[in-house]
Amino acid sequence: MSPDSQEGRTTRILLDGHGGDGAPGIVIDALVQALDKSDSGLVFGIVGRSDLLLPVLRDAGIAEQVELVEAADIIDMCEAPIVALRRKKNSSIHVGARAVRDGYWDALVSAGNTGALMAISMLILKTIPGIDRPALASTIPAVGGGSTFFLDIGANVDCTSEHLLQFAVMGSCYLQAAEGIESPRVGLLNIGSEDIKGTDVVKVAATKLRDSGLNFIGNVEGTDLFGDSVDVVVCDGFVGNVSLKTMEGVAKLILYELKSELTSSIIAKTGALLASGALHRVKDALNPSEHNGAPLLGLNGIVVKSHGSADAHGYLSAIDVAVREVRENLIDITVKTMNAMAET
Amino acid sequence: MSPDSQEGRTTRILLDGHGGDGAPGIVIDALVQALDKSDSGLVFGIVGRSDLLLPVLRDAGIAEQVELVEAADIIDMCEAPIVALRRKKNSSIHVGARAVRDGYWDALVSAGNTGALMAISMLILKTIPGIDRPALASTIPAVGGGSTFFLDIGANVDCTSEHLLQFAVMGSCYLQAAEGIESPRVGLLNIGSEDIKGTDVVKVAATKLRDSGLNFIGNVEGTDLFGDSVDVVVCDGFVGNVSLKTMEGVAKLILYELKSELTSSIIAKTGALLASGALHRVKDALNPSEHNGAPLLGLNGIVVKSHGSADAHGYLSAIDVAVREVRENLIDITVKTMNAMAET
């Protein structure tokens, strides 16, 4: 932990009781596991409709250990963010974000509607000074057990070079805080390593990154996301989302093909049976649940998005991300970096 | 074959003797295999420096069966396209493209510098009337042995909605000609299936595609590239290139992880040995050589790009693509479709 970390202080994490495919069951299963880990410095709350949440908390035997925060409205997974933002002002996300803004809770974790979570968090928490828009990030598995931190993965479809620079700051500060990497290597996603490559926005972003004081290593390509040469990769949210969904698609295709190939003959079938432990471990490594917890970065408060289809184990990863962000002072680190950049 | 196909006529394919990692050896190995297939309607030529090519043709014993077209200049793989275009006017690509333009040859196949191939082909062959810019396409493997035709994969980084519409026409006509698909399903790559998603360019492109007369099925996502719901997917060249390189990266990562997992214990090792045939077939399915031959579409002449690192087998696939494009009258089909669209 850094000298700034809030050692000794209680960390208060609020979970959204609604949203996601298996809420509230999965949220409460994750909560049971989190409480079992018995980190005495952690306090958990759950925000939502108490008539729906309290019985499940009681069934799980944890009603006494969790603070229940009342919120009357529930946002549907397919609801337009703007509608949710305006018409459901007592949603679990609204109430949760206000509680974080007011300092009663240190972080909000939600598996709800991403667009609504982003829009409402932005409205209530605002962004860190100097940051125009929050971004959504993901951790990509890389060779040799490593990983690459990748943003924006869909929050901002149209980006300027200034936005890309801000994403680089957010990603770099996140890795410093959450992973303890001192000077994260930042790459700009492009279609070639040469300076002449890419759109005008990307070319200008490269110039700004070179002057930023960040550890900018230059242009990187789609293949580099899975290597060990870069820690943070930034791009606009359209490109990031397509790339992320391409990964999902390829992984599914490969596992599908392997499965059908491996059951196509008796010999291969026997081989597959003997190798099944290994195959399952690889499948797990590519499972979004294992890498769950997409931080919403750039907000003036900590909000973590859990994948809508994550299981309790995945939801627990998202909780862990929130705890690390709080304890390692992500917001302070980002504010300081933005200030230092503004001064140069 | 369609009623329009050039049955009975000789098909004349010119191969670029330079460019690519293993030229001219791999080109000539592919040529030997192509000649062995003994399609009597095929005539092959090779363009380049005869002092370098003739000895290799003689060694391979095919000097008598292949027409040698002299070209004095060689373009380096890393040379800037604009420099190659202007300063090496007697390069194998220049001479080859002029020979296609003048009708001496029906198609040019090259494993050379992609940017130079695109720029020179565009200058010499021009585009089909109504098409502003040529595009580069790739065939993506999909579940169940199917495939998706994907463009633009890097020729055009900034695209208007009109360009995306033109890519859809090119892709659709290619699948009609080369794969015999009557009414290819066209999808627009986006970050969600809903109409409100994406950049303004993409939203306008969706409107144009809906009115185009093409079989437009709407927005598709990165995951859909590997499914069986769509035949042609269009996007700008920046997004397409990132997506394609993401695929490469994921495939490498998965095979790397599988390999290390499968050799991590005696049991898994035995399993991997028994399953190795199946694993290799999957690796082959994801090998670019197997799906080689990226057509440069939209040009008023047939040019096919072979991957710079393709082996002779991969180069042969690129030759096959060129032969199908010629025999099934790709250019005529595209001209007719563009005309029909202009009239409505």
Side-chain angles (χ1 to χ4, degrees):
Chain A
M1 270 189 203
S2 74
D4 284 340
S5 66
Q6 310 184 347
E7 246 170 307
R9 243 205 68 183
T10 303
T11 304
R12 298 171 52 82
I13 308 291
L14 185 60
L15 311 181
D16 181 357
H18 306 294
D21 300 341
I26 276 168
V27 179
I28 287 166
D29 286 349
L31 206 36
V32 170
Q33 290 181 39
L35 289 166
D36 270 354
K37 284 165 76 183
S38 70
D39 177 336
S40 62
L42 276 178
V43 173
F44 289 103
I46 188 163
V47 56
R49 272 178 51 181
S50 55
D51 59 326
L52 298 174
L53 299 177
L54 198 54
V56 194
L57 285 169
R58 283 195 183 125
D59 282 351
I62 56 168
E64 303 297 312
Q65 295 157 266
V66 176
E67 292 183 34
L68 189 53
V69 179
E70 183 70 34
D73 299 333
I74 294 177
I75 296 171
D76 294 334
M77 287 305 274
C78 349
E79 201 156 350
I82 195 76
V83 176
L85 178 81
R86 292 196 186 147
R87 300 216 187 131
K88 294 196 167 165
K89 294 193 174 159
N90 287 313
S91 77
S92 51
I93 298 176
H94 279 91
V95 174
R98 284 196 289 262
V100 170
R101 178 196 63 194
D102 297 343
Y104 295 128
W105 293 92
D106 294 317
L108 174 67
V109 178
S110 174
N113 181 321
T114 308
L117 182 64
M118 183 60 97
I120 297 166
S121 302
M122 167 90 179
L123 179 81
I124 293 173
L125 295 168
K126 315 290 185 222
T127 52
I128 288 169
I131 289 178
D132 298 319
R133 301 173 178 185
L136 203 58
S138 183
T139 300
I140 310 296
V143 289
S147 64
T148 305
F149 195 65
F150 185 42
L151 73 164
D152 175 48
I153 57 164
N156 306 286
V157 293
D158 284 302
C159 291
T160 64
S161 57
E162 196 60 36
H163 294 138
L164 294 175
L165 173 65
Q166 293 169 12
F167 296 164
V169 172
M170 298 178 206
S172 187
C173 292
Y174 175 84
L175 287 187
Q176 287 174 57
E179 307 289 340
I181 302 175
E182 207 171 311
S183 180
R185 295 161 298 174
V186 176
L188 178 64
L189 192 58
N190 202 334
I191 63 169
S193 53
E194 310 88 335
D195 288 348
I196 55 153
K197 292 280 184 176
T199 60
D200 290 341
V201 167
V202 166
K203 284 180 209 165
V204 176
T207 312
K208 289 184 175 164
L209 280 162
R210 236 173 262 121
D211 298 336
S212 67
L214 297 172
N215 183 9
F216 179 54
I217 62 158
N219 290 332
V220 298
E221 300 188 67
T223 41
D224 298 315
L225 285 165
F226 313 92
D228 56 6
S229 62
V230 64
D231 299 308
V232 185
V233 173
V234 295
C235 63
D236 72 49
F238 192 96
V239 171
N241 186 278
V242 167
S243 174
L244 201 74
K245 286 182 179 156
T246 299
M247 290 174 212
E248 268 185 61
V250 179
K252 268 188 204 161
L253 173 69
I254 293 180
L255 292 168
Y256 170 93
E257 295 292 335
L258 269 178
K259 212 174 156 187
S260 56
E261 279 290 328
L262 288 176
T263 52
S264 65
S265 77
I266 292 287
I267 290 177
K269 213 167 180 166
T270 311
L273 201 68
L274 292 174
S276 66
L279 287 174
H280 274 99
R281 277 193 297 280
V282 170
K283 203 175 161 185
D284 285 349
L286 292 159
N287 184 343
S289 280
E290 293 293 322
H291 299 275
N292 198 28
L296 266 65
L297 296 174
L299 291 169
N300 200 6
I302 291 171
V303 180
V304 174
K305 167 81 174 87
S306 176
H307 199 289
S309 62
D311 57 14
H313 182 68
Y315 201 97
L316 201 60
S317 304
I319 294 175
D320 284 342
V321 168
V323 171
R324 283 201 302 275
E325 289 190 27
V326 173
R327 292 190 170 167
E328 300 300 330
N329 298 308
L330 173 64
I331 307 291
D332 287 354
I333 292 176
T334 312
V335 168
K336 280 178 194 157
T337 308
M338 287 304 297
N339 287 344
M341 204 177 289
E343 281 164 17
T344 55
Chain B
M1 274 191 198
S2 73
D4 283 339
S5 67
Q6 311 182 346
E7 245 171 306
R9 244 205 69 184
T10 303
T11 304
R12 296 171 55 82
I13 308 290
L14 185 60
L15 311 181
D16 182 356
H18 307 294
D21 300 340
I26 277 169
V27 179
I28 286 165
D29 287 350
L31 205 39
V32 170
Q33 291 180 38
L35 289 165
D36 270 354
K37 285 166 77 182
S38 72
D39 177 336
S40 61
L42 277 178
V43 173
F44 290 103
I46 189 162
V47 56
R49 271 176 51 182
S50 55
D51 59 326
L52 298 173
L53 299 177
L54 198 54
V56 194
L57 285 170
R58 282 196 184 124
D59 282 352
I62 56 166
E64 304 295 312
Q65 295 158 267
V66 176
E67 292 181 34
L68 189 53
V69 179
E70 183 69 34
D73 298 333
I74 295 177
I75 296 171
D76 293 334
M77 287 306 274
C78 351
E79 200 156 351
I82 196 77
V83 175
L85 177 81
R86 292 196 186 145
R87 300 214 187 132
K88 294 196 168 166
K89 295 195 173 158
N90 286 312
S91 76
S92 51
I93 298 177
H94 279 92
V95 174
R98 285 197 288 262
V100 170
R101 179 197 62 194
D102 297 342
Y104 295 127
W105 293 93
D106 294 317
L108 174 67
V109 177
S110 174
N113 180 321
T114 308
L117 182 63
M118 183 60 97
I120 297 166
S121 302
M122 166 89 179
L123 178 80
I124 293 173
L125 294 169
K126 316 290 185 217
T127 52
I128 288 170
I131 290 178
D132 298 320
R133 301 172 178 184
L136 202 58
S138 184
T139 300
I140 309 298
V143 289
S147 64
T148 306
F149 195 66
F150 186 41
L151 73 165
D152 175 45
I153 58 164
N156 306 285
V157 292
D158 284 301
C159 291
T160 64
S161 57
E162 196 61 36
H163 294 139
L164 294 175
L165 172 66
Q166 293 168 12
F167 296 164
V169 172
M170 297 178 208
S172 187
C173 292
Y174 175 83
L175 287 187
Q176 287 174 55
E179 305 289 341
I181 301 175
E182 208 172 309
S183 181
R185 295 161 299 175
V186 176
L188 179 64
L189 193 59
N190 202 335
I191 64 169
S193 52
E194 311 88 334
D195 288 348
I196 55 154
K197 293 280 186 177
T199 59
D200 290 340
V201 167
V202 166
K203 285 181 208 163
V204 176
T207 313
K208 289 184 176 165
L209 280 162
R210 237 173 260 121
D211 298 336
S212 67
L214 296 173
N215 183 9
F216 179 55
I217 62 158
N219 290 332
V220 297
E221 299 187 67
T223 42
D224 297 315
L225 285 166
F226 313 92
D228 55 7
S229 62
V230 64
D231 300 307
V232 185
V233 173
V234 295
C235 62
D236 72 50
F238 192 96
V239 171
N241 187 278
V242 167
S243 173
L244 201 75
K245 286 183 178 154
T246 299
M247 290 174 212
E248 269 185 61
V250 178
K252 267 188 204 160
L253 173 69
I254 293 180
L255 292 169
Y256 170 93
E257 294 292 336
L258 268 178
K259 214 175 155 186
S260 56
E261 279 290 329
L262 288 176
T263 52
S264 64
S265 78
I266 292 287
I267 290 178
K269 214 166 179 166
T270 313
L273 201 67
L274 292 175
S276 65
L279 287 174
H280 274 99
R281 277 194 296 278
V282 170
K283 204 175 163 186
D284 286 348
L286 293 159
N287 184 341
S289 280
E290 293 292 323
H291 299 276
N292 197 27
L296 268 64
L297 296 174
L299 292 169
N300 201 7
I302 291 171
V303 180
V304 174
K305 167 81 173 86
S306 177
H307 199 289
S309 62
D311 57 14
H313 182 69
Y315 201 97
L316 202 59
S317 304
I319 294 176
D320 284 342
V321 168
V323 172
R324 284 201 301 275
E325 289 189 26
V326 173
R327 292 191 170 165
E328 301 299 330
N329 297 307
L330 173 63
I331 307 291
D332 287 354
I333 291 177
T334 311
V335 168
K336 279 179 193 157
T337 307
M338 288 305 295
N339 287 343
M341 204 178 288
E343 281 164 17
T344 55

